[in-house]
Amino acid sequence: MQLSELLKNTVIADGKAQIEIPSTWMQGRTTYGGLSAALAHHVARQSFPDIPPLRSAQIAFVGPIAGECDIVVEQVRRGKNTAFVTARVTYGDGVGMICTFIFMNPRDSSIVHHGLDVDAADMPPIPADEDVRHGPPEFFTYHLDYPDKRIDLNGNTTKLEAWHRLRDDGPLAPGRDVMTELLCIGDGLPPSAMGLMTKPGPVSSMNWQINMLTDKPVTRDGWWLLTSETHHAENGASSQYMTVRNADLEPVMTGMQSVALFV
């Protein structure tokens, strides 16, 4: 079931929704984190349709989410320009994810700084159709297009970078916006600490902080360039910076994750 179908079939009432997540969206023993975040954002936006565009989010991956789950959202503060909305995703008797979404209208500012500009010659090109692949049906990467392998062990690298797009040709669900799509695809890369692995082993994202750099992100043909780079790893945890760029290599979202390492 594609993202558009999931959103279309989600019934939301009084800030609550119950969703059956298909097994094709699993990532190990839990649902792919990007999808969980996207569903929570969709429920928040549908519950409070007059809120401004998404500006920032703090997402804690508390426990596993699979199959039938419940999402409850609450607007905890609404100012003249900003709204804070929390979302809690539960599965069975446990909490699977807790989000704080910050929605904010743009405002005039005398401060302008673009520190993420890159030279196109230094970045990988959008893959040709014949070079695109996707994962197996039992894994969430079945819903993504990307070039070649996403990671090789023994690479001795702290940086992962690859173009990704959603394999979703369905109509947009009511209330779906590009922010929901970005949340879904923005966590598509494996944790970059895996580039330092010398043997396979489990990893698990613990939290995800994101900042939107524009309130109207756009791209071409659905492609987004994902970059993740580990800047510290020790004592069973790593910290990584993340960036999402559009087809013109303009940065549209930044992020940071703490990742648990079990190897």
Side-chain angles (χ1 to χ4, degrees), residues 4 28 34 37 43 49 52 73 77-78 82 92 105 115 132 146 171 173 176 184 189 191 194-195 205 224 236 240:
S4 58
V43 175
V73 299
R77 184 182 185 277
R78 180 69 183 265
T82 305
N105 285 312
V132 171
Y146 48 87
R176 175 183 171 185
C184 188
L189 282 174
M194 293 182 71
S205 297
W224 304 96
Q240 65 182 39

Side-chain angles (χ1 to χ4, degrees), residues 173-185:
R176 175 183 171 185
D177 61 9
V178 70
M179 302 296 191
T180 301
E181 178 178 328
L182 278 175
L183 285 171
C184 188
I185 205 168

Side-chain angles (χ1 to χ4, degrees), residues 17 35 46 89 91 103 117 120 133 185 205-206 220 229 231-232 245:
L35 176 68
Q46 283 286 79
V89 183
Y91 164 64
F103 301 91
D117 294 341
R133 64 186 296 266
I185 205 168
S205 297
M206 294 186 287
R220 297 191 310 275
E229 187 164 11
H231 52 267
H232 187 86
R245 299 177 185 274

Side-chain angles (χ1 to χ4, degrees), residues 72-91:
V72 178
V73 299
E74 177 185 5
Q75 184 172 268
V76 295
R77 184 182 185 277
R78 180 69 183 265
K80 294 181 179 180
N81 203 57
T82 305
F84 286 74
V85 177
T86 61
R88 182 179 293 256
V89 183
T90 57
Y91 164 64

Side-chain angles (χ1 to χ4, degrees), residues 144-146 150 162-166 185 188-189 222-224 226:
L144 302 178
D145 280 334
Y146 48 87
R150 300 192 315 140
W163 291 94
H164 283 64
R165 69 179 174 189
L166 285 171
I185 205 168
L189 282 174
W223 286 110
W224 304 96
L226 311 184

